[in-house]
Amino acid sequence: MTASRRNGPSGPLCPSGPGAEFGPVKRSVRIDGRGTTLRLERMFWDMLDVIAAEAGVTPAQLLAALSRRRAALGAPNLASCCRVVCLKFCQGKLRAADIIGGGGAPPAPRRRRSG
């Protein structure tokens, strides 16, 4: 799909600028004790927050569950996995409880800090 010539690339469907709702946002997260950075559009971060709330878990627990499921399926990219899960959730093809394994994701194991 291409941007409308009349509206241009920054038309109503794809606003641009520092406050654009579709702009990518980087977040540093800890998944099962490991630090990683995920870059998703704001709309997907908002949807992951909704899914986590519906599942009764924190966004970090949701991301950990998605990461484990992604690894088990051999999918290489967590950001892509998050986007697909959000779209399936919006389409009604996936429930929050299904994503986290039914009823809640267990908290990630904590590592002891030395020093």
Side-chain angles (χ1 to χ4, degrees):
M1 185 182 289
T2 60
S4 165
R5 290 187 190 272
R6 184 176 45 171
N7 291 327
S10 61
L13 290 178
C14 295
S16 62
E21 72 181 321
F22 299 113
V25 175
K26 277 187 186 179
R27 290 193 187 172
S28 295
V29 294
R30 287 195 92 52
I31 297 174
D32 293 334
R34 286 191 154 141
T36 190
T37 301
L38 260 168
R39 182 178 170 128
L40 295 170
E41 293 74 15
R42 285 184 181 98
M43 300 295 285
F44 289 109
W45 285 118
D46 292 346
M47 185 52 55
L48 288 172
D49 289 340
V50 168
I51 295 169
E54 186 173 306
V57 298
T58 67
Q61 289 172 318
L62 175 65
L63 288 171
L66 288 174
S67 181
R68 286 190 293 271
R69 181 163 291 181
R70 174 201 54 83
L73 294 173
N77 189 306
L78 181 57
S80 294
C81 177
C82 289
R83 287 184 189 98
V84 170
V85 164
C86 287
L87 292 172
K88 284 185 173 186
F89 179 81
C90 286
Q91 293 172 336
K93 295 179 180 179
L94 196 59
R95 296 176 315 134
D98 297 331
I99 296 166
I100 51 113
R110 295 189 164 244
R111 292 186 181 185
R112 300 195 97 153
R113 291 185 183 197
S114 58

